[in-house]
Amino acid sequence: MTKSSVLLGVNIDHIAFIKKSRETSYPSLEQAVKICEQSGADSITIHLREDRRHIQDEDAKTIRGCCDKLNFEMANTDEMIAFALKLKPDFCCFVPEKRDEKTTEGGLALNELNKTDEKIFKENIEMLKSIGAEVSLFIDPNRESIEKSKYLGATSVELHTGQYAIDYELGNHEDEYNKLVDAANLANSLTLKVNAGHGLNYDNLGQILKLPHLNELNIGHAIIAESVFIGLDDAIKKIRRIIDNCD
Ligand code: PXP
């Protein structure tokens, strides 16, 4: 077995959600970060949503203060750009955001941007790059979105694996998987780093790990769900073993 070099970002929004749901001081996000990092997470991912449904502004600052590498998921709004410039995450990932969605449904609609939106997007990406952040765009696996990501100045793309995860449950995921393969190849040929995430779990991860040029996976819900039964440390070690044992 060769050791995989794929990085693991652990999304801890669901832990922040438990804290927010009762307005308590626990569970400690600092403790969560420590356990994640000690158990094999290469970075911590958070998504500060406009509606503040899980992570709060203060949580984000606390996490930044105690984590090694922070991936900040954000909508492309003036408020979030200003917040990110102060927070100084290592990675920023632009995601679409709708108030009534359960989670991030679908990638960014980059092809709906008009010339003014494109200019603003480019300027915002440049601003984040100027504070040393790598900037990724969360996109569906198609050619247009990848070419547009390059045009806008992103350093990476995060391929949305949500449809793959749904199709996997139905036993019918080859078409979507092939789209991910093509997207990963194209992104790499344009010198974009290839990340992936959404809906990944202990069962459907194996094939995703065989994607070409894969740099990093971002996983949240499945890890936190498993941690209810086996603890956060073992839930992360379990997913890390799947990643590391992939040949
Ligand atoms: N990547 C991005 C950009 C996301 O928005 C999310 C969900 O917050 C994830 C990864 C993680 O998805 P999941 O919680 O389904 O593992």
Side-chain angles (χ1 to χ4, degrees), residues 141 164 173-184 207 211:
Y164 162 84
H173 52 278
E174 285 312 313
D175 284 355
E176 189 63 22
Y177 182 73
N178 289 335
K179 286 186 199 169
L180 289 163
V181 172
D182 290 346
Q207 196 171 4
L211 279 179

Side-chain angles (χ1 to χ4, degrees), residues 177 180-182 184-185 188 194 208-215:
Y177 182 73
L180 289 163
V181 172
D182 290 346
N185 280 324
N188 179 66
V194 178
I208 289 294
L209 286 163
K210 295 190 168 52
L211 279 179
H213 317 297
L214 189 58
N215 172 60

Side-chain angles (χ1 to χ4, degrees), residues 11 13-14 45 47 73 93 95 103-104 138 158 196-200 218-222:
N11 182 315
D13 290 346
H14 295 283
T45 295
H47 180 183
E73 292 178 1
C93 180
V95 298
T103 178
T104 316
F138 190 44
E158 180 166 334
H198 209 282
L200 297 177
N218 278 303
I219 309 179
H221 187 264

Side-chain angles (χ1 to χ4, degrees), residues 9-13 43-47 70-73 218:
V10 175
N11 182 315
I12 60 169
D13 290 346
S43 57
I44 303 296
T45 295
I46 56 173
H47 180 183
L70 178 65
N71 177 25
F72 187 62
E73 292 178 1
N218 278 303

Side-chain angles (χ1 to χ4, degrees), residues 228-243:
V228 171
F229 300 112
I230 66 172
L232 184 57
D233 50 352
D234 281 343
I236 293 171
K237 285 178 190 159
K238 186 172 165 184
I239 219 136
R240 187 82 245 179
R241 275 197 300 276
I242 298 174
I243 295 173

Side-chain angles (χ1 to χ4, degrees), residues 48-67:
L48 184 67
R49 294 185 73 106
E50 186 195 10
D51 63 10
R52 305 298 197 272
R53 70 172 69 159
H54 32 58
I55 291 279
Q56 307 300 300
D57 298 35
E58 283 309 311
D59 295 335
K61 291 177 200 164
T62 300
I63 292 165
R64 169 66 294 184
C66 67
C67 83

Side-chain angles (χ1 to χ4, degrees), residues 85 92 94 122-136 149-150 152-156:
L85 290 173
C92 291
F94 283 96
K122 274 183 161 184
E123 287 168 359
N124 288 344
I125 289 173
E126 276 317 307
M127 257 193 289
L128 294 169
K129 281 162 67 172
S130 75
I131 59 158
E134 287 190 26
V135 181
S136 166
S149 299
K150 182 70 187 176
L152 294 173
T155 49
S156 325

